[in-house]
Amino acid sequence: VVGNVLQITAALIGSALIAASLLLVYRFAGRVSGWIGTKGMEIMLRLSALLVLSIGAQIVWNGMKSLLAEIHIA
């Protein structure tokens, strides 16, 4: 029971930190885009796309690994 409460508390704190960081990013996006210019924004866009692609590949990899483990067990 204590472990579950600790996990829920950790998940809530993590969610709050992510929400706060997103708030700050969106709040100051206009200023940052002015500082780094159009070429910098293009680079940031490509880097963020690479990050999203990497996360997607990891999700697919984990799903395939679980699927193959289930097939092997059955």
Side-chain angles (χ1 to χ4, degrees), residues 6-46:
L6 185 62
Q7 287 179 344
I8 291 172
T9 304
L12 289 174
I13 291 171
S15 297
L17 288 173
I18 290 172
S21 66
L22 287 174
L23 175 71
L24 289 173
V25 166
Y26 284 130
R27 171 68 177 93
F28 296 109
R31 288 184 188 174
V32 172
S33 68
W35 292 338
I36 63 176
T38 56
K39 196 65 171 175
M41 286 299 292
E42 184 179 332
I43 293 169
M44 291 297 294
L45 178 65
R46 289 177 186 227

Side-chain angles (χ1 to χ4, degrees), residues 41-64:
M41 286 299 292
E42 184 179 332
I43 293 169
M44 291 297 294
L45 178 65
R46 289 177 186 227
L47 287 174
S48 64
L50 178 64
L51 180 67
V52 170
L53 177 70
S54 299
I55 292 170
Q58 184 67 44
I59 290 170
V60 169
W61 176 259
N62 288 340
M64 293 299 290

Side-chain angles (χ1 to χ4, degrees), residues 1 5 23 29 34 37 41 65 71:
V1 175
V5 172
L23 175 71
M41 286 299 292
K65 190 166 68 170
I71 290 173

